[in-house]
């Protein structure tokens, strides 16, 4: 069987980390693409030289030519600019929309059968625009955010309860912004609802609220600490888990920015929802029952995503 081909559009901090992880896991041959000349080639060479030490077989190449992503099975998109301290994800819209347009066309012309995972921010708007520009079916274009946001939520819960992260199952829904919805009612410690665990461990509701708030602001906390750029290790790991679910037809249920039509009262929007990921791409959006409060929080979040889509349509005629 031929090796799979993984194309990484954007070879910056997340792109380079993705390449390293994909190579280590021998997921396939890897093409690093970027508009910066020399940089993807340099990273590819450097990463290739990890092979003899780490013992992986993966051909890693760097390029500035979209023709080299031809036939890719999976494309992961990080092209664009990240946040600087004080910026919101939405501040990136104008600049990253132009980038996503060129990426969408590159994918359409070279690997229209690929499964495409978008990471570029503002995520929910960029994944929608990428789907529009690439013309791929909705089930083959997905956004990575929920896996990361849920991992942040799980980390903070594990620290609070002093338990292994392996036993924490945390869930975040909605758009990837300050209005995201960490859902305590579906978060458990090895099956024990978080609210029950809080009682057992003497953790107050106020403290749980603080954890929810910290999760929502989790990306900004790292941007502030780094001083330059945004998180990249956990975002890369999250996207790799999604790519593995697709390549291995794993049927994992992961929170992804998927195209939702009909469910959750939505009509054609990309937003974070539990999604079955398998060989068919986003095979099913799972509609879970939410409390009235969770529903209204989700509505605030999806309204914010809709506003961003309107802004995209205002910036690019072809999206109207
Ligand atoms: P960075 O290290 O700057 O890498 C971005 C790369 O994109 C750079 O190497 C650029 O040269 C390249 N690039 C710019 N324009 C183009 C273009 N037209 N075509 C191809 N490549 C181009 O950023 P990063 O890797 O840290 O972050 C990448 C993106 O991911 C940013 O938009 C971040 O905001 C976003 N991000 C999203 C999450 C989510 O959870 C959704 C988390 C962290 C970062």
């Amino acid at each position: 069987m031929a090796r799979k081909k993984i194309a990484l559009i954007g070879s910056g901090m997340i792109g380079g980390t993705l390449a390293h992880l994909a190579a280590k896991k021998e997921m396939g041959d890897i093409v690093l693409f970027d508009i910066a000349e020399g940089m993807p080639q340099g990273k590819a060479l450097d990463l290739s030289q990890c092979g003899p030490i780490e013992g992986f077989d993966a051909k890693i190449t760097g390029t500035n030519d979209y023709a080299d992503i031809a036939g890719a099975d999976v494309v992961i998109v990080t092209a664009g600019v990240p946040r600087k301290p004080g910026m919101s994800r939405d501040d990136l819209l104008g600049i990253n929309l132009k980038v996503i347009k060129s990426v969408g066309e590159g994918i359409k012309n070279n690997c229209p059968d690929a499964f495409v995972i978008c990471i570029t921010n503002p995520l929910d708007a960029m994944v929608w625009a990428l789907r529009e520009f690439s013309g791929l079916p909705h089930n083959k274009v997905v956004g990575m955010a929920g896996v990361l946001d849920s991992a942040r939520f799980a980390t903070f819960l594990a620290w609070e309860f002093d338990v292994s992260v392996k036993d924490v199952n945390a869930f975040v829904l909605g758009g990837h912004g300050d209005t995201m919805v960490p859902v305590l009612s579906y978060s458990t410690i090895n099956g024990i609802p978080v609210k029950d665990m809080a009682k057992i461990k003497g953790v107050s509701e106020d403290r749980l609220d603080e954890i929810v708030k910290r999760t929502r602001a989790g990306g900004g906390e790292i941007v502030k600490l780094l001083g330059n750029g945004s998180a990249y290790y956990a975002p890369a790991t999250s996207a790799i888990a999604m790519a593995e679910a697709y390549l291995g037809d794993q049927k994992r249920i992961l929170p992804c920015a998927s195209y939702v039509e009909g469910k959750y009262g939505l009509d054609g929007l990309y937003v974070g929802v539990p999604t079955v990921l398998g060989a068919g791409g986003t095979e099913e959006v799972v509609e879970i029952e939410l409390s009235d409060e969770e529903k209204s929080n989700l509505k605030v979040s999806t309204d914010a995503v809709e506003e961003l889509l309107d802004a995209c349509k205002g910036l690019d005629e072809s999206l109207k």
Side-chain angles (χ1 to χ4, degrees), residues 9-15 33-36 39 43 66 77-83 89 92 96 98-100 102-103 118-123 144-145 148-149 152 176 229-232 235:
I9 313 296
S11 306
M13 299 309 289
I14 304 179
F33 175 96
D34 206 286
I35 45 162
M39 188 269 269
K43 285 202 178 183
Y66 269 112
V77 179
T78 60
V81 293
R83 284 193 278 171
R89 295 175 179 91
L92 304 172
N96 282 353
K98 287 196 194 106
V99 171
I100 287 299
S102 63
V103 175
C118 180
I119 306 185
T120 301
N121 271 320
L123 192 270
M144 186 296 294
L148 171 67
D149 296 329
R152 286 179 174 152
H176 181 62
S230 55
Y232 51 97

Side-chain angles (χ1 to χ4, degrees), residues 171-186:
F171 229 76
V172 177
L173 299 180
H176 181 62
D178 303 339
T179 58
M180 70 178 76
V181 190
V183 192
L184 278 174
S185 60
Y186 282 90

Side-chain angles (χ1 to χ4, degrees), residues 97 100-101 104 108 129-135 316 318-319:
L97 185 65
I100 287 299
K101 186 170 193 169
K108 182 190 210 161
L130 183 60
R131 210 298 312 168
E132 294 291 314
F133 292 133
S134 67
D316 191 304
S318 68
L319 291 172

Side-chain angles (χ1 to χ4, degrees), residues 167-169 187-194 196:
D167 290 331
V168 183
N169 214 315
S187 301
T188 70
I189 314 297
N190 217 352
I192 306 166
V194 160
D196 293 356

